[in-house]
Amino acid sequence: MKHKVIAALLLSSLFSLLAGGVAHAYPGMQQTTKPMESTVDLINVLPKTFPIEPVTFNDVDGKTIDFSQFKGRIIMVNMWATWCPPCVRELPAIERLATKFKAEDFVLLPISIDAEGKQQVQPFLSSLGMPNFNSYYDQPQSLGDVFPLDTIPATFILDQQGQLIAFVRSYVDWDDAKAVSLIQGFIDKGSKKPN
């Protein structure tokens, strides 16, 4: 049921984007009608948080984990696959983006949906010159229960409480300074909330 609600929310936002030609601004800001200047403008910031059910995926060692283990930090979930050229194009930039924030404030979770998991992905990453890139795995695509996985790359950003606050289902240039500002804004907003 929650998957259908989030899918409807994402589709509604996508239609708004297509109709208006502009991604949603930060909550409380007026939408503008100026043309998109950056792929970061494609990111939809939700007007209110959306709870995400705990769904498991695996780390490189096969250990089962879920988003609750990263609470207290902004979580950037990037769904990708080796057979998706825009996904592969994003990988170096999202890796660089993660280095711009303190580990206690931000965590990057690139999650591969490749059918063969680590056996397929690790050699592929080595061939790209990224043998130390820390990918996670969702071979059965269990995360499809909370995120629509029909389009990748797809990035879902969760707040410090593990609730969805933003998403994009397209390639984004994560090297863009606007991406750093966006993530820093989420970090700052969360640090101002009372515990």
Side-chain angles (χ1 to χ4, degrees):
M1 177 68 177
K2 285 204 180 222
H3 181 261
K4 289 180 184 177
V5 172
I6 195 169
L9 181 65
L10 293 173
L11 285 175
S12 170
S13 296
L14 180 61
F15 286 128
S16 296
L17 173 65
L18 294 175
V22 177
H24 292 282
Y26 288 103
M29 291 179 67
Q30 291 182 326
Q31 278 193 314
T32 64
T33 55
K34 66 180 184 177
M36 185 179 72
E37 298 173 1
S38 161
T39 55
V40 176
D41 295 333
L42 293 171
I43 298 171
N44 293 281
V45 177
L46 302 178
K48 63 179 190 171
T49 61
F50 189 86
I52 298 296
E53 295 291 326
V55 176
T56 61
F57 52 98
N58 300 101
D59 68 10
V60 71
D61 298 319
K63 180 181 170 191
T64 301
I65 54 178
D66 66 48
F67 301 130
S68 67
Q69 294 171 246
F70 303 100
K71 279 193 176 178
R73 297 184 263 179
I74 294 295
I75 304 167
M76 184 170 139
V77 181
N78 179 264
M79 305 301 296
W80 74 282
T82 58
W83 44 264
C84 166
C87 299
V88 174
R89 185 175 164 207
E90 278 188 332
L91 294 180
I94 63 171
E95 185 176 41
R96 286 187 294 271
L97 178 69
T99 66
K100 298 185 185 305
F101 306 101
K102 295 177 184 173
E104 61 266 18
D105 293 334
F106 177 81
V107 63
L108 170 64
L109 301 177
I111 303 175
S112 164
I113 60 170
D114 285 285
E116 295 177 35
K118 177 182 174 179
Q119 291 71 29
Q120 181 177 0
V121 172
Q122 289 306 126
F124 178 78
L125 290 171
S126 291
S127 75
L128 294 177
M130 300 176 67
N132 298 318
F133 184 79
N134 186 26
S135 185
Y136 295 82
Y137 301 92
D138 183 25
Q139 292 168 260
Q141 296 186 19
S142 300
L143 288 168
D145 290 342
V146 293
F147 301 135
L149 299 180
D150 58 322
T151 300
I152 58 170
T155 302
F156 303 92
I157 302 173
L158 310 181
D159 68 8
Q160 288 91 337
Q161 288 72 46
Q163 297 189 57
L164 184 68
I165 54 173
F167 72 93
V168 61
R169 291 171 16 114
S170 176
Y171 166 83
V172 172
D173 176 8
W174 297 105
D175 282 325
D176 190 323
K178 287 179 101 173
V180 175
S181 296
L182 180 71
I183 300 296
Q184 189 61 56
F186 292 144
I187 291 168
D188 294 344
K189 183 177 179 182
S191 65
K192 292 177 185 171
K193 286 186 178 179
N195 291 336

